[in-house]
């Protein structure tokens, strides 16, 4: 296979052709500032309104509840710091989980330094938050629950509707980082009692640098970026019109295609899981076997280290990722893999494959053929494998 | 982060992978916790390192530095072997990305650990050789160059 095989769709996705076509005119042709009064400005304003409707529809929200941001991290920061700011008179306790994205975890650490108390809920072996743990963590001074919709590394989908129900019953705001879920699994913010939801454009075929925060009507969330009156005074800054248009189109396409694409992705996902775990000994699936994102495969191969695997895959034209420390620049492997109980050495040997609409069965078969010898080659070089073989002779 | 062509060569085609059955000295450093373990085997005859092999669990840089360190040490006297520092290994590989410098420390330590094992087995003292650091945490606390 000569071409590159892209299996890292959870990291980012290419802008879709249809999205790009809609975006292009908003760079030079319809470049007007949406705040101005002349006709080209009205074009921008109209485009923003349309995109807001498209995003709202995908989530089951009202357009007035959608606020465009620069991406998932900004949305997460806004939700957490904003609630902390507006609700601190009621309490200073926030509940989240140990497997959140760093945009949540590092924001929580920042809030801790400002006197907030954070409960980091543990997860079970599949990466799911236990409802009883959540109930036990709720206190009179709890102001916010923030639990991700689906995990970016292991793909596990959290019991969001149940969490939403509990939050609502206890009169606590509920935020979910849905960056990995939007456009991939069905979301209805009203049915699921979600008060705030973060999403990111580039994970679903829109450009980088655009995201949104859904804020349910009535939620007291202070402005995060101060300045002009854009986004009804809640998020200043001249709108990223091309990004906004792209997000609207991409989310509309992803939602429309979901019913057709999901079963295809699940079939490829499960083939990879079944074939790789049976062809390669000492291999474990990380994350929930069924309650997982349609395109997510995360496996741990014992006795080897992830970055080495990625380098060999890259030599074969395959792009994937790993939870190994060596790929993050830190010395610790992924906090998610440690939270589901993996020992360090197995966490270092993890491989994440995330499928998207462009991937084919042929590419999946190619990986199934290429990976076993790579793992074996690295095991033959590994002192841990040598030790294992000697002890099991 | 990008590896030099030499690092990639030593990663893709590592020299001296394997074990030496009747090794004169064997040294293992690092731990699985932080994702790097290096095991070095040395065959020493008449004060000369006749052969060197390694097994490594680790990233591309860990494999490449193991490969290069074993290449550099072959044919050297014990005294010369002690001069193979992490800096020398790194230079021979045309450098490493800053976050990977600790891997080159590991290669130096693995060589020292194998020499220490040789000295203990033969009841000799190798001048200038200190007891190797086996705990990787200490290695990581070394100042980066």
């Amino acid at each position: 296979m000569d071409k590159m095989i892209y299996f890292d769709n959870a990291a980012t996705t290419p802008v879709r052709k249809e999205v790009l076509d809609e975006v292009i005119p908003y760079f030079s042709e319809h470049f007007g500032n949406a705040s101005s009064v002349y006709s080209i400005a009205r074009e921008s304003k109209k485009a923003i309104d349309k995109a807001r409707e498209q995003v709202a529809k995908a989530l089951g929200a009202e357009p007035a509840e959608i606020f465009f941001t620069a991406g998932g991290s900004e949305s997460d920061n806004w939700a957490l710091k904003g609630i902390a700011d507006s609700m601190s008179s009621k309490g200073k306790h926030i509940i989240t989980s140990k497997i959140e994205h760093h945009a949540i975890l590092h924001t929580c650490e920042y809030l801790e330094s400002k006197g907030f108390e954070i409960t980091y809920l543990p997860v079970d072996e599949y990466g799911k938050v236990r409802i009883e743990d959540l109930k036990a963590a709720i206190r009179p001074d709890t102001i916010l629950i923030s639990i991700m919709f689906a995990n970016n590394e292991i793909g596990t989908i959290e019991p969001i509707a149940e969490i939403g129900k509990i939050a609502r019953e206890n009169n606590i705001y509920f935020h979910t980082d849905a960056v990995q879920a939007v456009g991939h699994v069905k979301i209805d913010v009203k049915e699921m009692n979600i008060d705030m939801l973060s999403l990111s454009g580039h994970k679903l075929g829109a450009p980088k640098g655009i995201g949104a925060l859904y804020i349910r009507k009535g939620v007291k969330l202070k402005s995060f970026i101060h300045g002009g009156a854009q986004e009804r005074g809640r998020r200043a800054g001249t709108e990223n019109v091309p990004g906004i248009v792209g997000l609207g189109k991409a989310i509309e396409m992803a939602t429309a295609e979901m019913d057709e694409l999901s079963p295809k992705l699940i079939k490829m996902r499960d083939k990879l899981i079944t074939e790789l775990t049976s062809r390669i000994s000492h291999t474990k699936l990380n994350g929930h076997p069924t309650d997982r994102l349609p395109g997510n495969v995360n496996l741990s191969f014992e006795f080897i280290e992830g970055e080495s695997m990625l380098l060999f895959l890259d030599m074969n034209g395959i792009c994937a990722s790993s939870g190994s420390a060596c790929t993050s620049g830190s010395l610790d492997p992924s906090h998610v893999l440690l939270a589901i109980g993996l020992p360090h050495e197995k966490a270092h040997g993890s491989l994440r494959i995330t499928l998207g609409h462009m991937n084919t069965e042929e590419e999946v078969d190619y990986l199934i053929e290429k990976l076993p010898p790579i793992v074996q080659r690295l095991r033959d070089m590994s002192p841990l494998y040598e030790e294992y073989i000697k002890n099991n002779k | 982060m990008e590896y030099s062509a030499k690092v990639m060569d030593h990663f893709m085609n590592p020299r001296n992978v394997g074990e030496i059955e009747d090794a004169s000295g064997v040294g293992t450093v690092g731990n699985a916790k932080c994702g790097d373990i290096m095991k070095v085997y040395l065959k020493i005859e008449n004060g000369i390192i006749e052969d060197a092999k390694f097994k490594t669990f680790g990233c591309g840089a860990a494999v490449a530095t193991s490969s290069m360190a074993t290449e550099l040490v072959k044919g050297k006297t014990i005294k010369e072997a002690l001069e193979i520092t992490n800096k020398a290994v790194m230079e021979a590989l045309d450098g490493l990305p800053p976050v990977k410098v600790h891997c080159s420390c590991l290669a130096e330590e693995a060589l020292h650990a194998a020499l220490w094992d040789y000295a203990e087995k033969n009841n000799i003292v190798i001048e200038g050789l200190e007891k190797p650091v086996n705990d990787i945490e200490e290695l990581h606390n070394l100042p980066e160059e």
Side-chain angles (χ1 to χ4, degrees):
Chain A
M1 205 168 279
D2 295 329
K3 63 167 192 151
M4 178 195 79
I5 298 178
Y6 188 71
F7 279 151
D8 205 13
N9 287 278
T12 192
T13 58
V15 173
R16 301 184 70 162
K17 173 76 172 64
E18 299 88 335
V19 172
L20 190 62
D21 288 345
E22 295 232 349
V23 164
I24 291 290
Y26 291 92
F27 281 104
S28 297
E29 198 181 326
H30 310 306
F31 67 92
N33 188 321
S35 304
S36 306
V37 293
Y38 33 76
S39 66
I40 56 162
R42 286 198 296 274
E43 283 298 328
S44 298
K45 176 81 172 55
K46 254 199 291 187
I48 295 170
D49 289 345
K50 184 184 167 193
R52 202 184 305 282
E53 277 170 32
Q54 287 166 319
V55 174
K57 200 175 164 214
L59 304 176
E62 298 298 323
E65 296 174 314
I66 304 299
F67 297 85
F68 293 110
T69 66
S73 293
E74 185 194 320
S75 298
D76 285 346
N77 271 266
W78 185 9
L80 267 61
K81 291 175 186 166
I83 289 296
D85 193 19
S86 62
M87 297 298 291
S88 62
S89 58
K90 185 200 163 193
K92 289 192 151 193
H93 180 236
I94 293 170
I95 300 170
T96 187
S97 84
K98 286 187 175 170
I99 64 163
E100 298 297 312
H101 189 273
H102 285 135
I104 296 289
L105 291 179
H106 289 165
T107 303
C108 284
E109 282 165 25
Y110 167 79
L111 289 172
E112 278 178 310
S113 78
K114 297 282 166 196
F116 287 83
E117 250 187 278
I118 317 282
T119 299
Y120 299 92
L121 295 177
V123 290
D124 67 15
E125 60 180 308
Y126 300 116
K128 276 203 187 196
V129 166
R130 296 182 198 86
I131 295 300
E132 58 271 26
D133 288 345
L134 172 68
K135 284 182 180 165
I138 292 172
R139 313 191 316 208
D141 61 342
T142 306
I143 51 171
L144 176 68
I145 296 168
S146 179
I147 304 288
M148 70 199 327
F149 205 108
N151 185 268
N152 49 315
E153 293 187 36
I154 57 174
T156 298
I157 298 169
E158 298 298 334
I160 292 302
E162 279 177 81
I163 296 169
K165 188 164 170 277
I166 291 162
R168 188 61 53 88
E169 282 165 4
N170 287 276
N171 203 22
I172 299 165
Y173 284 140
F174 174 41
H175 165 257
T176 186
D177 173 351
V179 164
Q180 294 290 336
V182 171
H184 302 285
V185 290
K186 286 206 164 68
I187 297 176
D188 188 313
V189 289
K190 304 287 170 206
E191 256 176 41
M192 294 172 163
N193 289 309
I194 297 167
D195 295 312
M196 284 160 289
L197 177 146
S198 302
L199 66 93
S200 168
H202 75 103
K203 308 286 190 189
L204 47 98
K208 293 161 184 68
I210 186 69
L213 182 65
Y214 151 78
I215 308 172
R216 185 177 58 77
K217 194 167 170 270
V219 172
K220 292 193 187 85
L221 193 69
K222 288 193 179 172
S223 186
F224 186 58
I225 307 282
H226 299 97
Q230 292 88 355
E231 299 298 283
R232 297 173 303 294
R234 293 176 90 172
R235 201 282 188 182
T238 298
E239 299 87 345
N240 170 5
V241 184
I244 290 170
V245 168
L247 175 58
K249 179 67 181 173
I251 205 168
E252 185 183 71
M253 286 180 74
T255 314
E257 289 167 5
M258 201 187 295
D259 285 341
E260 200 188 322
L261 182 63
S262 253
K264 280 186 199 163
L265 292 179
I266 289 171
K267 194 176 160 223
M268 288 195 278
R269 174 194 81 186
D270 291 348
K271 184 176 187 182
L272 279 167
I273 293 169
T274 311
E275 290 296 322
L276 293 174
T277 51
S278 67
R279 287 179 194 218
I280 305 172
S281 68
H282 302 91
T283 298
K284 179 191 175 294
L285 173 70
N286 297 317
H288 198 279
T290 50
D291 290 341
R292 74 186 297 136
L293 291 170
N296 177 291
V297 177
N298 190 312
L299 300 166
S300 273
F301 304 98
E302 265 187 82
F303 317 119
I304 63 170
E305 193 276 333
E307 192 208 71
S308 300
M309 226 181 330
L310 297 185
L311 290 171
F312 274 116
L313 286 172
D314 184 41
M315 286 288 159
N316 286 285
I318 299 167
C319 310
S321 77
S322 168
S324 139
C326 271
T327 59
S328 67
S330 79
L331 296 174
D332 283 320
S334 139
H335 65 284
V336 177
L337 298 177
L338 296 180
I340 59 170
L342 253 63
H344 278 71
E345 61 270 29
K346 286 191 195 176
H348 284 296
S350 76
L351 178 70
R352 183 187 74 174
I353 300 148
T354 43
L355 308 165
H357 70 94
M358 299 190 310
N359 292 123
T360 62
E361 286 263 353
E362 196 194 355
E363 292 176 335
V364 163
D365 290 340
Y366 184 73
L367 178 65
I368 291 168
E369 179 201 322
K370 287 288 170 191
L371 191 59
I374 291 174
V375 172
Q376 193 52 48
R377 187 172 171 177
L378 290 168
R379 282 181 176 170
D380 287 342
M381 217 190 280
S382 165
L384 296 174
Y385 190 59
E386 178 190 307
E387 202 178 315
Y388 169 79
I389 295 290
K390 274 182 187 155
N391 293 337
N392 287 276
K393 253 186 187 163
Chain B
M1 192 200 75
E2 206 178 336
Y3 288 131
S4 70
K6 230 175 206 166
V7 171
M8 281 314 288
D9 175 38
H10 277 263
F11 169 69
M12 298 300 289
N13 313 291
R15 283 62 148 176
N16 313 312
V17 175
E19 299 160 54
I20 299 175
E21 286 290 334
D22 54 344
S24 319
V26 182
T28 307
V29 295
N31 65 48
K33 189 165 178 275
C34 54
D36 287 307
I37 300 174
M38 247 175 234
K39 190 171 184 181
V40 168
Y41 299 80
L42 298 177
K43 178 88 183 151
I44 304 172
E45 270 165 37
N46 304 320
I48 305 284
I49 295 157
E50 297 289 344
D51 198 9
K53 298 256 187 229
F54 79 90
K55 288 252 172 129
T56 290
F57 162 86
C59 61
V63 173
T65 50
S66 308
S67 169
M68 184 53 88
T70 50
E71 275 291 272
L72 290 175
V73 82
K74 278 203 282 187
K76 297 277 196 315
T77 64
I78 290 171
K79 191 164 176 288
E80 287 166 340
L82 285 177
E83 284 160 19
I84 300 169
T85 59
N86 64 308
K87 211 173 158 203
V89 174
M90 222 158 62
E91 274 168 12
L93 286 167
D94 295 341
L96 283 173
V99 294
K100 300 289 186 180
V101 170
H102 71 98
C103 299
S104 61
C105 299
L106 210 56
E108 179 187 327
E109 287 301 322
L111 283 181
H112 287 185
L115 289 170
W116 184 267
D117 180 50
Y118 166 72
E120 278 198 328
K121 276 179 183 160
N122 292 280
N123 235 339
I124 55 168
V125 174
I126 299 174
E127 205 184 319
L129 179 65
E130 285 169 25
K131 193 170 165 52
V133 183
N134 279 314
D135 187 350
I136 189 102
E137 301 294 336
E138 292 174 41
L139 279 178
H140 286 140
N141 292 333
L142 290 177
E144 286 192 0
E145 285 179 56

